[in-house]
Amino acid sequence: MTSYAETVAAKCIECGQCTEECDFLTTYGKTPKELANEALNTSFSDNPVLPYSCNICGYCQKLCPENLDLGLMMMEAREKLVSKRIGPLPGHQPAVEGQEFYLSSDFRIISTGNEAESCDAVFFPGCALSAYSPDLVQATYSHLTAQYANLGITLGCCGGPSELVGKTDYANQITEQLEQDIKNLGASEIIVACPYCYKRLSEQFTDVKPVSLYMVLSETGAKFSEKGNKTYTIHDPCSARDQPEIQDAVRTLISETGYTIDEHAHTRDNTHCCGMGGMVFLANAAVGAANAERTIRESSHDLVTYCATCRDIFSGQGKKCVHLLDLLFGKSPAEQASKVPNSPETATENMKTLNQWARNLAKDIKHESVLSHWTGDLTKGLKHESK
């Protein structure tokens, strides 16, 4: 079976078009062809930080005249490092422990959201938004119930953390179980807030249809109160690249609330990653910060984005930034823009709060965390490998 590294080694013409737009390539000073040859010769065993320093954002493929995606090669390399018990890296420990919590009964819950035995659709806010603001999750769910007569709620993990550290098989088990649990509720649709979760579930689900929350909010025609005439520079998450319908829906929602949008040079399909894509900040903070700084330099105003992780990355680098849902449902977006990211302790408490709220929606929860009987062993393996 031909590896993707062989494809890159054979087809890369070393034109440099991707290099000048990629802080990962700039940092290491190597062309994709050179990296491909290194992957084929050493599998990066002597330099495992390198493949974990790519944002897997897909911008290189858009720029490449040969349509090569360096991220695919770096994901292949991560999987090989995991097979050799070199990956994940010590810096990935917070993600490993975080996912263990996301799968525990302290957070994960699958519920019809009411006393009914089944539901038609479920709302999936994702872990990052849940950690960022329980109030926004609850306000969004309340808004959606006006459009969906029978709406469930799903708290948990899409499998992304395991996928990004190279534990692909484990990630797929999580995703498969999530889809089965949703099907058990009778739901055929999952409304997804996180752009990365939406991308992953769209690629993995076979029977349940993922739909973007922002498409739903835009298409239902619901009116949002105007809150001011402030101008925001918009940041499209890299996981929303090649999703023009979602990009358009987001801009419609921002405009409907009375705000003006500043489109800088790298938005929509040309967006740069915030720096956390591929969980780069955990493995190589310098490369992650360089990515964030690119967007901050190009932003003439406070930022607005529709990814809670992007929001925290920019605010953590000192840039005022709000989540789109702050503009739609928040009480004071301007105040929220100045807030630093939540501490890990606060984020955990926020997710526990949401879990209790979801339990209170339906006193008799019939769909508890079914992963609890096997997650422990697998996450212990992850912990062992990241030491």
Side-chain angles (χ1 to χ4, degrees):
M1 181 177 178
T2 302
S3 70
Y4 197 74
E6 291 177 285
T7 300
V8 174
K11 292 187 175 182
C12 176
I13 59 176
E14 300 185 294
C15 64
Q17 292 190 45
C18 60
T19 306
E20 62 186 33
E21 290 285 353
C22 177
D23 289 293
F24 163 58
L25 292 174
T26 300
T27 297
Y28 286 97
K30 297 181 179 181
T31 67
K33 180 185 286 290
E34 291 172 331
L35 290 175
N37 287 325
E38 186 173 345
L40 293 171
N41 292 328
T42 70
S43 299
F44 301 110
S45 296
D46 57 345
N47 189 14
V49 172
L50 190 152
Y52 284 108
S53 299
C54 171
N55 289 120
I56 324 289
C57 74
Y59 196 27
C60 55
Q61 184 179 25
K62 176 178 174 57
L63 298 170
C64 178
E66 298 295 323
N67 197 39
L68 296 173
D69 184 353
L70 191 58
L72 292 179
M73 184 173 77
M74 292 302 141
M75 283 301 303
E76 185 179 78
R78 294 179 188 193
E79 291 172 353
K80 288 184 178 179
L81 289 172
V82 167
S83 71
K84 294 181 178 181
R85 301 186 69 81
I86 297 173
L89 305 181
H92 294 128
Q93 189 69 16
V96 171
E97 294 178 347
Q99 183 173 258
E100 184 173 9
F101 174 76
Y102 308 151
L103 297 174
S104 75
S105 58
D106 283 336
F107 180 59
R108 189 181 191 274
I109 191 170
I110 313 288
S111 170
T112 59
N114 52 44
E115 297 298 336
E117 292 293 326
S118 63
C119 59
D120 302 320
V122 296
F123 173 45
F124 185 62
C127 56
L129 181 61
S130 299
Y132 172 59
S133 176
D135 290 343
L136 288 182
V137 172
Q138 293 175 38
T140 302
Y141 178 82
S142 178
H143 179 88
L144 290 172
T145 56
Q147 312 297 326
Y148 289 79
N150 201 358
L151 181 67
I153 182 75
T154 299
L155 303 178
C157 179
C158 73
S162 284
E163 177 189 36
L164 292 173
V165 298
K167 297 281 289 187
T168 306
D169 290 343
Y170 180 39
N172 291 342
Q173 288 181 59
I174 294 170
T175 308
E176 290 167 8
Q177 186 66 64
L178 175 62
E179 182 173 31
Q180 184 59 54
D181 288 347
I182 294 170
K183 288 168 62 178
N184 288 343
L185 295 182
S188 59
E189 185 174 284
I190 179 171
I191 303 169
V192 189
C194 169
Y196 178 83
C197 291
Y198 173 79
K199 181 176 183 293
R200 174 165 172 76
L201 298 184
S202 296
E203 294 170 349
Q204 296 291 320
F205 277 10
T206 57
D207 298 319
V208 177
K209 178 184 178 183
V211 294
S212 167
L213 168 65
Y214 311 106
M215 294 284 291
V216 171
L217 294 177
S218 176
E219 291 175 353
T220 55
K223 299 298 181 183
F224 298 94
S225 59
E226 293 191 12
K227 299 180 180 179
N229 57 3
K230 182 180 177 66
T231 297
Y232 284 97
T233 296
I234 191 167
H235 171 73
D236 293 290
C238 59
S239 50
R241 196 188 312 281
D242 300 323
Q243 299 285 348
E245 298 88 356
I246 297 177
Q247 297 164 4
D248 290 341
V250 165
R251 285 156 175 77
T252 297
L253 291 168
I254 294 173
S255 297
E256 286 182 353
T257 55
Y259 297 104
T260 303
I261 301 169
D262 169 46
E263 299 269 6
H264 61 78
H266 291 93
T267 59
R268 293 187 178 267
D269 290 358
N270 290 314
T271 189
H272 280 132
C273 178
C274 71
M276 191 55 178
M279 296 198 297
V280 167
F281 258 100
L282 300 181
N284 194 332
V287 173
N291 274 275
E293 182 56 33
R294 276 182 180 249
T295 298
I296 292 172
R297 285 198 308 268
E298 293 181 353
S299 305
S300 302
H301 308 275
D302 293 354
L303 284 166
V304 60
T305 187
Y306 41 108
C307 170
T309 298
C310 291
R311 187 270 162 194
D312 279 355
I313 289 297
F314 292 127
S315 63
Q317 296 296 307
K319 180 67 176 179
K320 290 183 178 180
C321 184
V322 295
H323 194 285
L324 169 59
L325 295 179
D326 286 313
L327 303 186
L328 302 182
F329 301 115
K331 296 179 180 179
S332 179
E335 180 179 333
Q336 188 65 26
S338 300
K339 289 188 176 180
V340 298
N342 290 327
S343 67
E345 294 77 16
T346 298
T348 297
E349 287 305 312
N350 283 348
M351 288 187 278
K352 288 182 177 180
T353 296
L354 271 180
N355 176 274
Q356 188 58 56
W357 164 77
R359 290 178 180 276
N360 290 337
L361 288 176
K363 299 299 183 182
D364 183 20
I365 302 297
K366 294 182 172 60
H367 301 276
E368 293 283 356
S369 174
V370 298
L371 294 175
S372 59
H373 69 282
W374 54 266
T375 10
D377 290 340
L378 288 169
T379 47
K380 284 178 184 176
L382 279 168
K383 285 182 178 180
H384 174 76
E385 290 166 12
S386 59
K387 287 181 181 179

